[in-house]
Amino acid sequence: MVNMKIVEEPSSFGINYPYGQGGAAQESTLKLRVQPANFSGPPHFRRLVGRCFNSIIADYKYNFCPFSNITQHEQGVHWNPYNGVLGVWQEWEVENNTFVAMLMKDGDSCGTDLFRSVKVSFECGNASKIVDVSEPVKCNYHLVFKSPLVCHADAMLVYPTLDPELQEAWDQLEGEAARGELTDKGYKKRLRKILEKAGLLMTQESHKSLVQKAEEVKQEQVKEGEFESLDSCKAEFKKLQNQVKSLMSQLGLGGSQNAVTDADQAT
């Protein structure tokens, strides 16, 4: 038997600022697989840093902490209700010089090599609040957030948020594109580089390093007998089960299938 600790929803402020408030409360929080990225985007969005917004939709409570994480808490009476992290802040989705959505990725496991993620889109509203959450694709969620911060016509423009050096690089890129000197693929590739330098998009190398660190932490936790959830415990047991099957097959030991089946039934 493995002792599993039941924990509460993450503290956005404590996780983003480990040396500030909330540090002592981390023992009672859900654990994020990866650390949130730094703040980026429209400067006036800094007003959302350190804040969280709650809403109950279709028997689920959602807790959205911009530039930190999104969690989901099942409200129904079940023997094993889901309480976990749907996504962690990583980057913006940018289209046509506009901040289209926040992308929260690398949430809780949702099967083999699949992790929950959330796309947060914005609408103009009198108050900042969650108005809708859906799951168009398994484990990929869409959250709609209303806020007065996006009501101005230029509130979500990307170009004004860039440093002069990057603005100049973008101007040059647009000029080359207008003269037909670039393919569409080449234009998108160079624009992405500009947005990566601005910290609005995450580089592949940075994401790879982030996931690698998360996997290292996970393996250490498994060695210590700690699991994020019942599902992760089952997943690790399945891996061990397959390893036992393979090993017994290599050794040519009879009754390997029965031994594994008995172990499975014991769980």
Side-chain angles (χ1 to χ4, degrees), residues 2-3 218-227:
V2 178
N3 292 325
K218 177 184 175 182
Q219 292 305 319
E220 287 298 319
Q221 291 175 339
V222 170
K223 289 180 181 178
E224 297 297 326
E226 297 181 11
F227 299 96

Side-chain angles (χ1 to χ4, degrees), residues 4 82-83 108-109 226-234:
M4 296 181 65
Y82 175 74
N83 293 281
D108 288 348
S109 173
E226 297 181 11
F227 299 96
E228 298 174 352
S229 64
L230 181 60
D231 287 339
S232 63
C233 180
K234 289 180 178 179

Side-chain angles (χ1 to χ4, degrees), residues 34-159:
V34 298
Q35 283 294 103
N38 295 327
F39 171 85
S40 66
H44 54 283
F45 266 49
R46 285 190 179 275
R47 302 176 191 176
L48 299 178
V49 174
R51 299 182 62 189
C52 294
F53 303 87
N54 301 314
S55 181
I56 296 178
I57 301 174
D59 295 328
Y60 288 96
K61 177 184 177 183
Y62 295 93
N63 190 49
F64 172 42
C65 303
F67 305 104
S68 183
N69 59 77
I70 297 178
T71 59
Q72 182 189 62
H73 307 271
E74 192 169 0
Q75 301 297 291
V77 180
H78 301 285
W79 75 273
N80 184 35
Y82 175 74
N83 293 281
V85 180
L86 297 187
V88 180
W89 160 242
Q90 289 191 11
E91 61 182 357
W92 285 95
E93 178 178 317
V94 175
E95 292 181 6
N96 300 322
N97 188 28
T98 303
F99 291 107
V100 175
M102 295 180 71
L103 301 182
M104 320 282 276
K105 304 178 182 179
D106 291 302
D108 288 348
S109 173
C110 194
T112 306
D113 297 325
L114 180 64
F115 298 95
R116 301 175 195 274
S117 64
V118 186
K119 176 178 178 178
V120 181
S121 58
F122 297 87
E123 295 180 357
C124 174
N126 294 327
S128 295
K129 60 181 179 180
I130 300 170
V131 294
D132 186 50
V133 181
S134 60
E135 188 177 1
V137 180
K138 181 182 179 182
C139 301
N140 292 325
Y141 302 82
H142 179 215
L143 184 147
V144 179
F145 186 75
K146 282 193 173 184
S147 174
L149 295 177
V150 304
C151 291
H152 191 278
D154 299 333
M156 302 300 280
L157 291 182
V158 177
Y159 186 88

